[in-house]
Amino acid sequence: MTDTICAPATAPGGALGIIRVSGPNAFTVVSSLCSVSCANGAANTVHFTRLYTPSKGLGEVLDEALVTIFHAPHSYTGEDSVEISCHGSSYILNKVLEILVQQGCRMARPGEFTQRAYLNGKMDLSQAEAVADLIASSNKATHDIAMSQLRGHFSSELARLRDQLLKLTSLLELELDFSDHEDLEFADRTELLSLAQEIDNRVMRLALSFETGQALKQGIPVAIVGKTNVGKSTLLNQLVGDDRAIVSDIHGTTRDTIEETMEINGVQFRFIDTAGLRQTSDEVEQIGIERTYAAIQKARIVLWLFDEKPSIEEESDMLQRCAQKGLVPILNKVDREEKSPSWSLSPSAPPVLKISAKHGRALSDLRLCIFDQAKNLGLIANSSDVIVTNARHYDALSRAHSHLQRVISGLHIQLSGDLLSEDLRQTLDTLSEITGGQITPQETLNNIFKHFCVGK
């Protein structure tokens, strides 16, 4: 924290490049290669300057640039900071960094600027992790979740839980201070049980949202299944707009799963083309069919494709396998039909969507149907929802749930206040791990920030 650090904050190859400098000597170091004095610059101001190579006098002009000055504590890191915006030439950027190091800077480690922001109280640990998620966001859904966490919505929810837990713990520990008065009870056990159950329910809701968060980050898995030659690969190619899968009239062409992602209304979906379902003696094809069933099990939405009426056994099997999923029965190749088929699936099955994958007919309806299925399954987050996307947070919430379950069990069997208080304390400590409200081991901090890009 006593070092002054520097690093490029933009990717190489652009027209412009930004170098970030932060630390106690940031103004002095940057001023040594500028035609303006950063130390005399007002906070949050931008100044035009020439950058000079070190030599007697002003030296050789390296570039014309802008420097933005931030005074502590009103900067990203909470320290004196300067951002140098120059041309994106790799020679210029490397030369500027070389001069900064010569003048006393140290090259920043990955994530060190954000780590300093956390250590200087500019953000809590969950917000710091949201910075990495925001940089990595590839669609509107993951961007919105990262922004929500960065703005402190998750932290605020945890703060409310911790305040309630702290109140309960304080009342129980107050009883311990008056343990010589056996009939004295500050915390009503019935009220405590009700509140503990309410807090546990909220913790579990947060923990359960991790599945949604992971699906949104990695792409909601959508399996395309059906018999051989019903048009599964053609449908995948049409949906993603690329010849991703081989299309052939030969049965059993697809032997393995093929995955591709695409966005629908700002949400990323991961489509999985699978081997056709049929009886076969081909050992390799049979392995592909087994992987199809595995893909159905892992998928959240299943597109069941057919080009004729499925048998009662086929329908029953598919409904059973997709009982907890979003099932979309699809009649393909309707371009071959002179009129709509007279048959329909059983009343317990979802409505059949009629498309022509080959000609792209009704694919917009299919995309809307897929999005609606994800929404009905609770996989589309509202802007006000708090969604957990970090495995570390999920682990802490799961452990907090276990501690709270012990509190609830202890209240049912009228456990003594000192034991109840210990479990509540463990719950508080576990929730504190998420935001870094307690002393966090340096190893944990290093592990979190090492995954950041350099310059952030």
Side-chain angles (χ1 to χ4, degrees):
M1 294 289 286
T2 59
D3 292 344
T4 299
I5 57 174
C6 64
T10 50
L16 298 175
I18 297 176
I19 293 174
R20 175 177 281 174
V21 183
S22 181
N25 297 320
F27 297 158
T28 303
V29 169
V30 175
S31 296
S32 67
L33 70 155
C34 290
S35 58
V36 297
S37 172
C38 296
N40 297 328
N44 307 321
T45 56
V46 182
H47 304 267
F48 172 80
T49 183
R50 290 185 176 87
L51 302 178
Y52 295 95
T53 57
S55 65
K56 293 181 180 180
L58 286 177
E60 179 186 351
V61 176
L62 180 64
D63 196 12
E64 293 183 342
L66 297 175
V67 290
T68 308
I69 298 169
F70 303 95
H71 287 207
H74 306 295
S75 69
Y76 179 76
T77 59
E79 304 171 327
D80 287 342
S81 299
V82 181
E83 291 183 357
I84 305 170
S85 301
C86 55
H87 291 95
S89 157
S90 59
Y91 169 76
I92 295 173
L93 293 170
N94 289 333
K95 195 66 179 177
V96 170
L97 289 169
E98 179 186 328
I99 296 169
L100 291 172
V101 170
Q102 289 174 354
Q103 298 301 317
C105 271
R106 169 175 64 77
M107 291 298 295
R109 295 184 295 269
E112 190 170 2
F113 291 98
T114 304
Q115 185 173 6
R116 290 189 175 202
Y118 161 68
L119 294 172
N120 287 323
K122 300 297 291 185
M123 58 181 72
D124 66 36
L125 201 52
S126 70
Q127 290 173 299
E129 289 169 302
V131 173
D133 287 342
L134 186 63
I135 294 170
S137 63
S138 58
N139 55 69
K140 186 177 187 301
T142 52
H143 168 270
D144 289 350
I145 292 173
M147 278 302 301
S148 173
Q149 188 169 321
L150 183 59
R151 295 172 67 184
H153 294 167
F154 183 33
S155 303
S156 298
E157 178 70 11
L158 291 176
R160 286 191 288 270
L161 294 176
R162 290 175 63 188
D163 286 346
Q164 290 179 305
L165 285 167
L166 195 57
K167 179 182 177 182
L168 295 178
T169 306
S170 301
L171 289 172
L172 285 171
E173 291 184 354
L174 189 61
E175 288 181 8
L176 299 178
D177 292 338
F178 293 87
S179 56
D180 51 330
H181 299 276
E182 295 182 0
D183 58 337
L184 199 58
E185 188 178 88
F186 290 94
D188 180 82
R189 294 303 190 266
T190 303
E191 182 182 348
L192 197 154
L193 176 62
S194 176
L195 191 52
Q197 289 172 331
E198 179 190 339
I199 294 171
D200 187 44
N201 288 336
R202 288 161 64 188
V203 167
M204 277 307 297
R205 279 200 299 272
L206 288 172
L208 290 173
S209 73
F210 178 67
E211 186 178 359
T212 297
Q214 286 297 99
L216 290 172
K217 285 181 73 172
Q218 299 172 7
I220 298 171
V222 181
I224 306 174
V225 303
K227 289 184 176 181
T228 58
N229 272 26
V230 294
K232 300 185 299 297
S233 297
T234 302
L235 178 59
L236 174 70
N237 291 342
Q238 285 279 19
L239 284 170
V240 303
D242 190 16
D243 289 335
R244 184 66 178 82
I246 297 173
V247 176
S248 170
D249 291 333
I250 300 172
H251 289 268
T253 303
T254 303
R255 299 294 187 95
D256 202 350
T257 57
I258 300 172
E259 297 189 15
E260 193 59 73
T261 59
M262 69 165 291
E263 283 186 35
I264 302 176
N265 296 339
V267 177
Q268 184 165 273
F269 290 83
R270 180 161 46 90
F271 291 94
I272 309 163
D273 184 22
T274 62
L277 300 173
R278 66 168 179 167
Q279 295 294 327
T280 181
S281 59
D282 187 308
E283 184 177 348
V284 176
E285 187 178 355
Q286 184 58 44
I287 293 173
I289 292 170
E290 290 172 3
R291 292 185 179 183
T292 296
Y293 287 125
I296 293 174
Q297 186 175 1
K298 293 178 182 178
R300 301 305 303 273
I301 300 171
V302 176
L303 307 183
W304 177 29
L305 215 62
F306 42 83
D307 55 7
E308 60 183 11
K309 184 178 181 181
S311 68
I312 295 175
E313 292 77 16
E314 290 169 344
E315 180 184 337
S316 175
D317 179 65
M318 193 59 66
L319 290 176
Q320 184 177 356
R321 290 180 185 275
C322 302
Q324 304 300 320
K325 306 178 186 299
L327 177 62
V328 183
I330 302 171
L331 175 62
N332 191 23
K333 305 180 182 179
V334 294
D335 51 294
R336 297 181 181 180
E337 299 285 345
E338 294 183 1
K339 57 182 180 179
S340 297
S342 57
W343 54 267
S344 61
L345 298 180
S346 65
S348 59
V352 176
L353 185 64
K354 302 178 180 65
I355 71 165
S356 170
K358 181 178 180 180
H359 297 286
R361 187 183 303 175
L363 290 190
S364 58
D365 294 336
L366 175 57
R367 292 187 184 94
L368 180 61
C369 183
I370 293 168
F371 184 84
D372 287 342
Q373 286 286 348
K375 197 170 185 179
N376 293 337
L377 290 169
L379 299 175
I380 308 297
N382 296 317
S383 58
S384 59
D385 293 340
V386 176
I387 303 295
V388 175
T389 60
N390 189 300
R392 189 182 70 85
H393 301 170
Y394 171 73
D395 174 66
L397 289 165
S398 299
R399 286 186 283 118
H401 167 64
S402 298
H403 296 317
L404 284 166
Q405 283 294 298
R406 286 205 296 271
V407 172
I408 293 169
S409 298
L411 287 167
H412 280 301
I413 62 174
Q414 297 182 336
L415 206 63
S416 63
D418 57 339
L419 296 177
L420 291 173
S421 179
E422 176 59 25
D423 282 325
L424 284 171
R425 276 287 173 193
Q426 288 184 5
T427 306
L428 276 166
D429 289 343
T430 303
L431 292 178
S432 295
E433 292 176 16
I434 297 176
T435 56
Q438 61 176 175
I439 299 301
T440 306
Q442 189 63 39
E443 183 180 354
T444 302
L445 286 182
N446 291 341
N447 185 59
I448 289 169
F449 289 105
K450 76 178 182 181
H451 299 294
F452 280 60
C453 56
V454 174
K456 200 63 181 177

mmCIF file of all heavy atoms in Angstrom, residues 11 44 52 58 86 124 140 165 167 204 208 251 257 285 326 375 391 421 431:
data_model
loop_
_atom_site.group_PDB
_atom_site.id
_atom_site.type_symbol
_atom_site.label_atom_id
_atom_site.label_comp_id
_atom_site.label_asym_id
_atom_site.label_seq_id
_atom_site.Cartn_x
_atom_site.Cartn_y
_atom_site.Cartn_z
ATOM 1 N N ALA A 11 -6.739 -2.344 -23.498
ATOM 2 C CA ALA A 11 -6.136 -3.431 -24.271
ATOM 3 C C ALA A 11 -5.258 -2.853 -25.383
ATOM 4 O O ALA A 11 -5.550 -1.773 -25.903
ATOM 5 C CB ALA A 11 -7.224 -4.314 -24.872
ATOM 6 N N ASN A 44 -10.143 16.070 -9.939
ATOM 7 C CA ASN A 44 -11.124 15.729 -10.978
ATOM 8 C C ASN A 44 -11.050 16.684 -12.171
ATOM 9 O O ASN A 44 -12.073 17.132 -12.685
ATOM 10 C CB ASN A 44 -12.543 15.715 -10.402
ATOM 11 C CG ASN A 44 -12.664 14.827 -9.182
ATOM 12 O OD1 ASN A 44 -12.075 13.754 -9.126
ATOM 13 N ND2 ASN A 44 -13.400 15.290 -8.184
ATOM 14 N N TYR A 52 7.530 13.742 -22.081
ATOM 15 C CA TYR A 52 8.940 13.848 -22.457
ATOM 16 C C TYR A 52 9.730 12.637 -21.971
ATOM 17 O O TYR A 52 9.461 12.097 -20.891
ATOM 18 C CB TYR A 52 9.560 15.114 -21.845
ATOM 19 C CG TYR A 52 8.987 16.402 -22.371
ATOM 20 C CD1 TYR A 52 7.950 17.052 -21.687
ATOM 21 C CD2 TYR A 52 9.471 16.977 -23.545
ATOM 22 C CE1 TYR A 52 7.412 18.235 -22.169
ATOM 23 C CE2 TYR A 52 8.946 18.161 -24.031
ATOM 24 C CZ TYR A 52 7.914 18.788 -23.345
ATOM 25 O OH TYR A 52 7.390 19.966 -23.827
ATOM 26 N N LEU A 58 13.898 19.555 -20.786
ATOM 27 C CA LEU A 58 12.621 18.886 -21.009
ATOM 28 C C LEU A 58 12.781 17.557 -21.737
ATOM 29 O O LEU A 58 11.951 16.676 -21.628
ATOM 30 C CB LEU A 58 11.685 19.810 -21.812
ATOM 31 C CG LEU A 58 11.096 20.989 -21.033
ATOM 32 C CD1 LEU A 58 10.261 21.859 -21.948
ATOM 33 C CD2 LEU A 58 10.260 20.504 -19.852
ATOM 34 N N CYS A 86 -2.965 8.625 -23.814
ATOM 35 C CA CYS A 86 -2.063 8.949 -24.914
ATOM 36 C C CYS A 86 -2.440 8.125 -26.140
ATOM 37 O O CYS A 86 -3.441 7.399 -26.125
ATOM 38 C CB CYS A 86 -0.610 8.690 -24.507
ATOM 39 S SG CYS A 86 -0.293 7.014 -23.914
ATOM 40 N N ASP A 124 -16.988 -2.917 -0.784
ATOM 41 C CA ASP A 124 -16.776 -4.144 -0.030
ATOM 42 C C ASP A 124 -16.309 -5.243 -0.988
ATOM 43 O O ASP A 124 -16.198 -5.032 -2.196
ATOM 44 C CB ASP A 124 -18.022 -4.547 0.775
ATOM 45 C CG ASP A 124 -19.211 -4.925 -0.111
ATOM 46 O OD1 ASP A 124 -19.001 -5.519 -1.190
ATOM 47 O OD2 ASP A 124 -20.358 -4.642 0.283
ATOM 48 N N LYS A 140 -26.802 -8.495 -21.847
ATOM 49 C CA LYS A 140 -27.526 -7.568 -20.960
ATOM 50 C C LYS A 140 -27.808 -8.198 -19.599
ATOM 51 O O LYS A 140 -27.704 -7.533 -18.560
ATOM 52 C CB LYS A 140 -28.834 -7.131 -21.614
ATOM 53 C CG LYS A 140 -29.593 -6.063 -20.829
ATOM 54 C CD LYS A 140 -30.846 -5.621 -21.551
ATOM 55 C CE LYS A 140 -31.500 -4.444 -20.833
ATOM 56 N NZ LYS A 140 -31.874 -4.774 -19.431
ATOM 57 N N LEU A 165 -29.491 -10.479 12.814
ATOM 58 C CA LEU A 165 -28.762 -11.511 13.546
ATOM 59 C C LEU A 165 -27.999 -10.915 14.723
ATOM 60 O O LEU A 165 -27.930 -11.506 15.805
ATOM 61 C CB LEU A 165 -27.784 -12.217 12.605
ATOM 62 C CG LEU A 165 -28.394 -13.205 11.609
ATOM 63 C CD1 LEU A 165 -27.367 -13.581 10.548
ATOM 64 C CD2 LEU A 165 -28.892 -14.453 12.325
ATOM 65 N N LYS A 167 -28.777 -8.293 16.428
ATOM 66 C CA LYS A 167 -29.743 -7.952 17.485
ATOM 67 C C LYS A 167 -30.065 -9.183 18.330
ATOM 68 O O LYS A 167 -30.089 -9.125 19.571
ATOM 69 C CB LYS A 167 -31.014 -7.384 16.859
ATOM 70 C CG LYS A 167 -32.086 -7.036 17.871
ATOM 71 C CD LYS A 167 -33.347 -6.520 17.186
ATOM 72 C CE LYS A 167 -34.435 -6.239 18.211
ATOM 73 N NZ LYS A 167 -35.698 -5.778 17.549
ATOM 74 N N MET A 204 -31.679 -18.850 2.202
ATOM 75 C CA MET A 204 -31.866 -19.948 1.249
ATOM 76 C C MET A 204 -32.314 -19.429 -0.112
ATOM 77 O O MET A 204 -31.915 -19.974 -1.152
ATOM 78 C CB MET A 204 -32.885 -20.948 1.794
ATOM 79 C CG MET A 204 -32.290 -21.955 2.760
ATOM 80 S SD MET A 204 -30.845 -22.819 2.074
ATOM 81 C CE MET A 204 -31.579 -23.685 0.696
ATOM 82 N N LEU A 208 -30.328 -20.316 -3.421
ATOM 83 C CA LEU A 208 -30.981 -20.991 -4.545
ATOM 84 C C LEU A 208 -30.887 -20.182 -5.830
ATOM 85 O O LEU A 208 -30.979 -20.738 -6.927
ATOM 86 C CB LEU A 208 -32.457 -21.269 -4.207
ATOM 87 C CG LEU A 208 -32.699 -22.342 -3.136
ATOM 88 C CD1 LEU A 208 -34.176 -22.400 -2.763
ATOM 89 C CD2 LEU A 208 -32.225 -23.712 -3.625
ATOM 90 N N HIS A 251 -29.353 -41.170 -41.774
ATOM 91 C CA HIS A 251 -29.745 -41.301 -40.373
ATOM 92 C C HIS A 251 -28.521 -41.496 -39.492
ATOM 93 O O HIS A 251 -27.565 -42.187 -39.867
ATOM 94 C CB HIS A 251 -30.693 -42.488 -40.187
ATOM 95 C CG HIS A 251 -32.059 -42.248 -40.759
ATOM 96 N ND1 HIS A 251 -33.094 -41.734 -40.006
ATOM 97 C CD2 HIS A 251 -32.542 -42.422 -42.017
ATOM 98 C CE1 HIS A 251 -34.173 -41.617 -40.778
ATOM 99 N NE2 HIS A 251 -33.860 -42.036 -42.004
ATOM 100 N N THR A 257 -22.871 -34.465 -28.892
ATOM 101 C CA THR A 257 -23.535 -33.178 -28.676
ATOM 102 C C THR A 257 -22.704 -32.056 -29.284
ATOM 103 O O THR A 257 -21.477 -32.088 -29.237
ATOM 104 C CB THR A 257 -23.741 -32.913 -27.176
ATOM 105 O OG1 THR A 257 -22.482 -32.966 -26.519
ATOM 106 C CG2 THR A 257 -24.682 -33.945 -26.564
ATOM 107 N N GLU A 285 -22.919 -44.827 -32.055
ATOM 108 C CA GLU A 285 -24.181 -44.083 -32.068
ATOM 109 C C GLU A 285 -24.909 -44.245 -30.739
ATOM 110 O O GLU A 285 -25.546 -43.305 -30.243
ATOM 111 C CB GLU A 285 -25.062 -44.547 -33.227
ATOM 112 C CG GLU A 285 -26.319 -43.693 -33.395
ATOM 113 C CD GLU A 285 -27.179 -44.123 -34.584
ATOM 114 O OE1 GLU A 285 -26.762 -45.021 -35.328
ATOM 115 O OE2 GLU A 285 -28.276 -43.543 -34.737
ATOM 116 N N GLY A 326 -38.644 -26.807 -18.941
ATOM 117 C CA GLY A 326 -39.483 -26.150 -19.931
ATOM 118 C C GLY A 326 -39.486 -26.977 -21.210
ATOM 119 O O GLY A 326 -38.468 -27.017 -21.915
ATOM 120 N N LYS A 375 -38.386 -17.465 -18.651
ATOM 121 C CA LYS A 375 -39.016 -16.540 -17.701
ATOM 122 C C LYS A 375 -39.916 -17.289 -16.726
ATOM 123 O O LYS A 375 -39.906 -17.028 -15.519
ATOM 124 C CB LYS A 375 -39.813 -15.489 -18.478
ATOM 125 C CG LYS A 375 -40.179 -14.260 -17.672
ATOM 126 C CD LYS A 375 -40.744 -13.185 -18.571
ATOM 127 C CE LYS A 375 -40.990 -11.900 -17.785
ATOM 128 N NZ LYS A 375 -41.520 -10.829 -18.658
ATOM 129 N N ALA A 391 -19.417 -18.543 -6.816
ATOM 130 C CA ALA A 391 -19.387 -19.801 -6.066
ATOM 131 C C ALA A 391 -18.958 -19.581 -4.618
ATOM 132 O O ALA A 391 -19.421 -20.277 -3.703
ATOM 133 C CB ALA A 391 -18.458 -20.792 -6.747
ATOM 134 N N SER A 421 -26.178 -18.630 21.038
ATOM 135 C CA SER A 421 -25.402 -17.449 20.698
ATOM 136 C C SER A 421 -24.180 -17.809 19.854
ATOM 137 O O SER A 421 -23.813 -17.089 18.921
ATOM 138 C CB SER A 421 -24.957 -16.730 21.980
ATOM 139 O OG SER A 421 -24.181 -15.604 21.673
ATOM 140 N N LEU A 431 -21.474 -14.916 6.981
ATOM 141 C CA LEU A 431 -22.011 -13.897 6.074
ATOM 142 C C LEU A 431 -21.004 -12.766 5.871
ATOM 143 O O LEU A 431 -20.946 -12.161 4.796
ATOM 144 C CB LEU A 431 -23.330 -13.341 6.620
ATOM 145 C CG LEU A 431 -24.523 -14.308 6.630
ATOM 146 C CD1 LEU A 431 -25.748 -13.630 7.235
ATOM 147 C CD2 LEU A 431 -24.846 -14.800 5.224
#
